[in-house]
Structure formats: C-alpha cells, structure tokens
Amino acid sequence: MSTLARKTKKAKFSTNRITALDIFIFIVLTLGALAILIPFWNVIMISFATQREYAENPLLMWPKEPTLNSYKALFADGSIGSGYWNTIKLMAVGLPLSMFLTVSMAYGLSRPKFPGKKPIFFLVLFTMIFNGGIVPLYLVMKDLHLTGSLWSVILAGSFSVFNMIIMMNYFQGLPESLMESARLDGAGEWRILFSVVLPLAAPIMATIALFYGVAFWNSWYDAMVFLRKADQLPLQNVLRAIIVESQTNASNATTIGQGGGAESFSTGMKMAAVFVTIVPIMAFFPMLQKHFAKGVLTGAIKT
Amino acid sequence: MKPATISPGSSKGEESKFKRMFVDIWKYRMTYTLLIPGLIWLILFAYMPMAGLSLAFKHFRANDGIWGSEFIGLENFEYLFRDPAFAAAVWRTLYVNIIKLFITFPFPILLALLLNELRMRRYKKVLQTAFTFPHFLSWIIVSGIIINVLAYDGFVNSLLSLVGLPTVNFLGSEQNFYPMIILTDIWKSTGWGAIVFMAAISGIDQEQYEAAQIDGATRIQQMFRVTLPNIMPTVTIMFILSVGGLMSSGFDQIFNLANAATQNVSQVLDVYIYRVTFQSSSDFGFSSAVSLFRSIVNMVLLLLADRAAKWMGGDGLFR
C-alpha cells in the first residue's frame, strides 16, 4: 500500500521525459534478464530438438522439426518416473508432518508466558547455531533403522526452526484477546490453535507450506546419504545421476552427445530431465512470488 | 513476588515457591503439549546428532555404536590436524567464500537500485520474476542448465566461435573453476538477494526525494545521495550476516558443478567431509572430529556476526 502511495507521489515529481538514464537502465536490466532466460530457453529447445539439428546448430532458438523423442527416451528409462513417484511420496507425507510440527511448536512458543519458556526457546534456537552435521545424523538414522527407507529423508527434512520462527512471529502478532475469549469458553490450546488461530493464519500457512514444499522438492543430500537403492531415490537424485554423474563419467569419453547410437540423443534426454524437474516449480512460482512480494517474508529474509 | 508478611522460616517460603511453580506448570500443561511434537523432533534429529559428535573422541566400531565405542581422547584430532588435505580444505573454503562474498555481494544492491529506477511498472514485475526464479531451483537443476550452456559444444562456446573468439573450457579446468562458481552464484541468487534491499528502499521517506528534487538533484544524484545512504544499514547487516556463513555456504553448488577435472580445487570442507565419510573407507570417529571442528567454527562465526550486527544497531540473527 505504501509503495503505491510512493509511486503516485514520485510520478508527480519526476518528469515524464525518457532520459538517457532510463534507456541505460532498461538495457542493462533487459540484458540481465536475458542472461537468466536464455539458458532456460536453450535447455527447453534442446529437449525438443533432434540430435541432427542440435549438432548443426547448438545456438538453436526454435527447433524446425520439434520432436518428443527425448521425452520418450527419458520416460522409457523409468528412473525419472520412479524419481517423480518418490518425490511425490516424500511430499505427501513430509508436508503435512512438517506443517503439524511447525504450527504446533510455533503456537506453543508464541504464548506470552509459561514457566520455562526462555530455556525451551533457547534450546530451540541453539539448534540453529550449532548442529551435528551429516555424519552423526546418519548414525542416528542408522540406529533408528531408518536408513534405506524414505522415512529417513522425510523425517530429516520435516522441521525447520527457521520456518517455525517466522510462523511464531506471525502468531505473536495476532490479538491475544481472541484466544483469551476462546479460553473463557472452555476451549483448550489445541482447539484454539485449530479453530481460532489457523483460520486467521492462511497467508503464513501458505507461505510456509510453499517453503517446505520447495525444500522437499529440491532436497537431495539427505537422500544421497541415507538411501542406497536406486529405485528409492527422489527426483533430484535421479536428475543428478542423469546430469552430473554422467558428466563425470563421460569426461573421459570423447563424445557426450553421441553415445547410444541413432535413436537416443543423450543431451536432449538430459535437457528433457531438467525441464521435467523444473515444470512443477514453474507452475507454483506465481503463487510463491505473490507471497514473498507481499512482504510476508521480508522480515524473514532479514533474519 | 514478595509476600506482604515476612514468613518465619525460609524453608517454608521455598516450599510454597516450589508448590507455586508446579501449580503454574500444571496450569500451562496444555501449552507444553503443543511443544512436545517439535521437541521430540529436535531431540531425535538435532540433539542426538549433537551428542553423537562425541564420537570425535572415540574409536568408532560399528558393533559398539555411537555410545559404546571406546574413548580415545584427542587421537582423531591429531590425525585430522596432520592431514594436509584437511588444512587445504579449510583454507579453500575460506578463500572461495571470501572472494565470493566480496565479488557477489554488490550485485543484489545494484539490481535493487536499478529496478527501483525503472519506471515501467509492468516490465519491472516481469524482470523481478525472471531474476528471482533461479533461487527456487536446486543446484542440481542449475548445474544441469549451466553444464549445458557452458559445455564444450554448448551455447556460449558456439556463440564465441561464431564471432571468431577462441572457445573456453569453462567447467573442465581448475583455473576457471572459482570464476565459474562466482558467476553461477551471481546468476542464481542476485534476484532473491535484491528483495531485501528493495524492501529497504520502499521504506525510505519520500520527503527526502522531494527535498532533493527541490534542490535540483538529478536522478543519479538522488540514487547516490538519498537511496544508497538510506539502505546502508541494511547493506551492513546483510554483509555481516553473510560473514557468518563463510565456513558453511556453497556446498550444493560446488559439489554439483565439480567434475573429475576440477576434483582438487573443488574440495572445500563440506566436500572433504563427504568424501572421508562416504567415499573412502569410512572412519566415523574421524569424520565426527571434522564435523565437530566445522560446527564449532560455524558457531563462532555466527555468534560473531550476530554480535557485530547488533553492535551496528541491527536486529542480529535472532531478533
């Protein structure tokens, strides 16, 4: 709201002439945006191109004979499908769990006072400053017999103190009188949380859910460490195997794009895998952007 | 808290204090149940691993587990500090992150200033979308994109040879590795980093601009004399905070952009930890010693950053 007021004010003061400065800024920013977009465009176009066309012209801006062969080859291999499925499982279980853990603790800690609040809060914060790292976490997971199961990845990623604090700050901003009156009506804290607080917290719930969602979607390190079998791996790890690891292996070989003969175009397949992994983020990005543009997160980013 | 009448025996006062405490705790029992799920998670997956770092002082044997392994004092650390690869990894981490910090840091500020001066509002939205998007992709995806575009026969090299310039082995040479790390970091995170500064800019009091305009200041002058000084506190805080990550940031990026040719220059501390733990014959006692070292250094850096940020008048890390 304040930005809008500012803009109208500014428009009144600044002249409407287009100056050299405007042109300069326009050019710099456009070039910057192109530097971001062209690589994406290139990836997408290669994924739809034939090997012959790509070999003739890697600058490919629009394939003359678009084909879905790379996608067919990618899905025929099956690993991307199982990666997708594992990531969906990860999110289907991980998201509700993480929201439950985050919301309950955030509301608990947002209560103005209760005995032991300070030490408990300190213990929570301390995990942000000091952590054991992956090695003992791996051993703990092993002790719990969770390694080799998707549960290890779900549990390891299902709580973030950072997200919890953002949510706690939001809860602290809600009027205490609402909860007090519910309390007088005999509602317990859990009831208050679910029927009074959460209905008022839709924007922050959406934001935090999107945060966890993106984090789950992008997570790979836990899975790389905790999981052993290839068919358990989430999408990112499958993508990594397709792109990064094959690159390492292929660095000895002379030709990357021609392995496998005529029918498989490995660069095209790799790019198809990249695109398939980006698409869901692209689909949710307008939502994400709406939320962080709203300023919900400006305080969060600062911390 | 003080009772109006002085109680004769202090023991009785103590007793009622205790009693009151328990009554209080009982009164808030519901609140504690709210905390239990989160606390269980923290105990299992944050505090147990922390305690597991005690392995750093033990000789790990799989059969004995974390808690039963034999205590050997500082032996693991003696090995660790004698390992030249460890010292190299530590210095490499600091080196990469410090040059990265100094070179990449100004970009988000610059972007925020330019976007602020852009007068086409629709286009500004479009640009912001483009600039922030890469932040939400994993480094695996970004590596896939970058490896493609910068490959030997990729987009950039084709463009270079088209205009008659020599092609460059961007990702397969040790000497180009750090510049590529910096470049890709700028590519991925400038847009996101700019958001904080955009927010700071939108909080600037408009009267300052009006006053500057009445004094005849040009837009460039306004940018440097009004906008920049006003966001300087944010700039300082952000800078200090990124110092807190000097030992820990960049693993995903380096790990995924590295390949066989850049094996040596890509071994930062976290990569070293990964390799000694999961790739060579693993000695978890030794890896725990490295992890403990890393965690302590991280903590010290974070606390120093927090102190410095507070000293500069900012919120610090934890409000």
Side-chain angles (χ1 to χ4, degrees), chain A residues 66-82:
Chain A
T67 163
L68 286 173
N69 283 345
S70 296
Y71 289 89
K72 279 179 197 151
L74 179 69
F75 282 100
D77 174 49
S79 64
I80 214 88
S82 90

Side-chain angles (χ1 to χ4, degrees), chain A residues 3-4 6-7 9-10 13-15 17-19 21-22 25-26 28-30 32-33 35-40 42-43 46 54 58-59 61 100-101 104-105 107-109 111 113-115 120 123-132 134-141 143-144 155-156 158-159 161 169 188-190 193 214 218 220-221 224-225 236 239-240 243-244 247-248 251 271 274 277-278 281-282 285 288-289 292 298-299 301-303, chain B residues 24-25 28 30-35 37-39 41-42 44-50 52-53 55 60 66-67 111 114-121 123-125 127-134 136-138 140-141 143-145 147-149 153-155 158-159 162 187 192 195-196 199 202 206 210 213 219-220 238 241 251-252 255-256 258-260 273-274 277-278 284 287-288 291-292 294-296 298-299 302-303 315-319:
Chain A
T3 52
L4 201 72
R6 184 175 66 89
K7 291 237 172 66
K9 234 181 206 173
K10 197 167 189 177
F13 269 84
S14 55
T15 53
R17 254 179 329 118
I18 294 171
T19 61
L21 182 71
D22 285 311
I25 288 172
F26 177 84
V28 169
L29 287 175
T30 306
I36 304 249
L37 292 176
I38 287 176
F40 283 104
N42 193 236
V43 163
I46 291 175
Y54 174 66
L59 289 173
M61 277 289 125
F100 171 72
L101 291 172
S104 58
M105 184 167 237
Y107 179 63
L109 286 175
R111 300 300 77 232
K113 60 170 199 284
F114 54 86
I120 291 173
L123 283 178
V124 173
L125 271 189
F126 186 69
T127 61
M128 278 180 100
I129 313 172
F130 190 85
N131 64 64
I134 192 74
V135 181
L137 182 62
Y138 171 77
L139 291 172
V140 167
M141 286 291 178
D143 278 356
L144 297 170
L155 285 168
S158 59
F159 186 66
V161 173
N169 287 335
E189 294 293 351
W190 286 94
L193 171 60
V214 171
N218 284 337
W220 58 279
Y221 191 56
M224 184 175 77
V225 170
Q236 298 285 337
L239 182 67
R240 191 182 139 77
I243 287 163
V244 184
Q247 182 220 18
T248 316
S251 61
M271 293 309 109
V274 171
T277 317
I278 297 176
I281 301 246
M282 266 177 164
F285 192 62
L288 266 165
Q289 204 186 17
F292 65 71
T298 44
I301 299 160
K302 208 166 76 187
T303 49
Chain B
D24 251 14
I25 289 177
Y28 288 103
M30 292 284 259
T31 310
Y32 296 113
T33 64
L34 285 166
L35 301 176
L39 285 177
W41 189 94
L42 285 171
L44 281 179
F45 303 116
Y47 278 95
M48 290 260 285
M50 260 187 237
L53 280 179
L55 262 186
F60 180 77
I66 300 179
W67 319 111
L111 179 63
L114 290 179
L115 280 173
N116 183 52
E117 290 299 324
L118 188 74
R119 289 196 286 183
M120 303 127 125
R121 214 184 304 165
Y123 190 50
K124 187 169 152 184
K125 270 245 171 83
L127 286 175
Q128 263 193 298
T129 308
F131 281 118
T132 41
F133 184 63
F136 292 93
L137 304 176
S138 71
I140 293 179
I141 298 177
S143 306
I145 296 168
I147 289 170
N148 168 55
V149 172
D153 48 2
F155 187 86
S158 306
L159 207 63
L162 197 72
W187 189 84
W192 179 251
I195 291 178
V196 188
S202 70
Q206 284 312 299
E210 287 160 24
Q213 275 157 5
R219 271 168 68 200
I220 294 181
M238 292 310 291
L241 291 186
F251 171 77
D252 282 25
F255 193 75
N256 287 312
N259 52 45
I273 292 178
Y274 177 76
T277 313
F278 300 107
F284 286 111
S287 342
S288 300
S291 298
L292 182 60
R294 174 193 179 275
S295 298
I296 287 174
N298 267 337
M299 180 169 76
L302 268 172
L303 291 177
D315 276 341
L317 291 171
F318 316 105
R319 281 157 205 273

Side-chain angles (χ1 to χ4, degrees), chain A residues 30-254:
Chain A
T30 306
L31 286 178
L34 284 178
I36 304 249
L37 292 176
I38 287 176
F40 283 104
W41 188 254
N42 193 236
V43 163
I44 298 168
M45 288 308 123
I46 291 175
S47 75
F48 288 109
T50 58
Q51 179 163 12
R52 191 155 43 87
E53 199 174 354
Y54 174 66
E56 278 164 14
N57 178 22
L59 289 173
L60 199 72
M61 277 289 125
W62 190 258
K64 283 191 208 81
E65 28 184 327
T67 163
L68 286 173
N69 283 345
S70 296
Y71 289 89
K72 279 179 197 151
L74 179 69
F75 282 100
D77 174 49
S79 64
I80 214 88
S82 90
Y84 243 98
W85 177 235
N86 287 327
T87 297
I88 288 169
K89 280 197 279 189
L90 187 67
M91 293 182 78
V93 183
L95 260 184
L97 178 65
S98 58
M99 288 312 282
F100 171 72
L101 291 172
T102 307
V103 162
S104 58
M105 184 167 237
Y107 179 63
L109 286 175
S110 75
R111 300 300 77 232
K113 60 170 199 284
F114 54 86
K117 180 180 169 173
K118 272 218 169 131
I120 291 173
F121 191 56
F122 175 79
L123 283 178
V124 173
L125 271 189
F126 186 69
T127 61
M128 278 180 100
I129 313 172
F130 190 85
N131 64 64
I134 192 74
V135 181
L137 182 62
Y138 171 77
L139 291 172
V140 167
M141 286 291 178
K142 217 174 159 189
D143 278 356
L144 297 170
H145 302 289
L146 289 170
T147 48
S149 132
L150 202 56
W151 278 105
S152 59
V153 183
I154 293 171
L155 285 168
S158 59
F159 186 66
S160 143
V161 173
F162 182 80
N163 288 349
M164 191 278 291
I165 288 176
I166 299 174
M167 194 163 258
M168 185 191 78
N169 287 335
Y170 185 89
F171 288 161
Q172 277 169 346
L174 294 175
E176 196 58 35
S177 54
L178 282 174
M179 298 136 199
E180 195 51 52
S181 63
R183 210 163 288 139
L184 291 177
D185 289 342
E189 294 293 351
W190 286 94
R191 260 292 284 294
I192 296 176
L193 171 60
F194 283 105
S195 52
V196 180
V197 175
L198 290 192
L200 294 172
I204 195 76
M205 292 281 285
T207 307
I208 299 295
L210 283 167
F211 263 34
Y212 276 119
V214 171
F216 273 121
W217 186 263
N218 284 337
S219 78
W220 58 279
Y221 191 56
D222 290 340
M224 184 175 77
V225 170
F226 298 147
L227 302 180
R228 284 287 165 264
K229 282 190 237 131
D231 62 352
Q232 289 179 317
L233 292 176
L235 187 56
Q236 298 285 337
N237 298 71
V238 173
L239 182 67
R240 191 182 139 77
I242 293 176
I243 287 163
V244 184
E245 282 156 23
S246 75
Q247 182 220 18
T248 316
N249 299 335
S251 61
N252 307 322
T254 42

Side-chain angles (χ1 to χ4, degrees), chain B residues 92-104:
Chain B
R92 198 172 291 124
T93 312
L94 286 175
Y95 176 72
V96 176
N97 282 325
I98 286 173
I99 53 169
K100 208 158 115 177
L101 179 60
F102 278 96
I103 298 175
T104 52

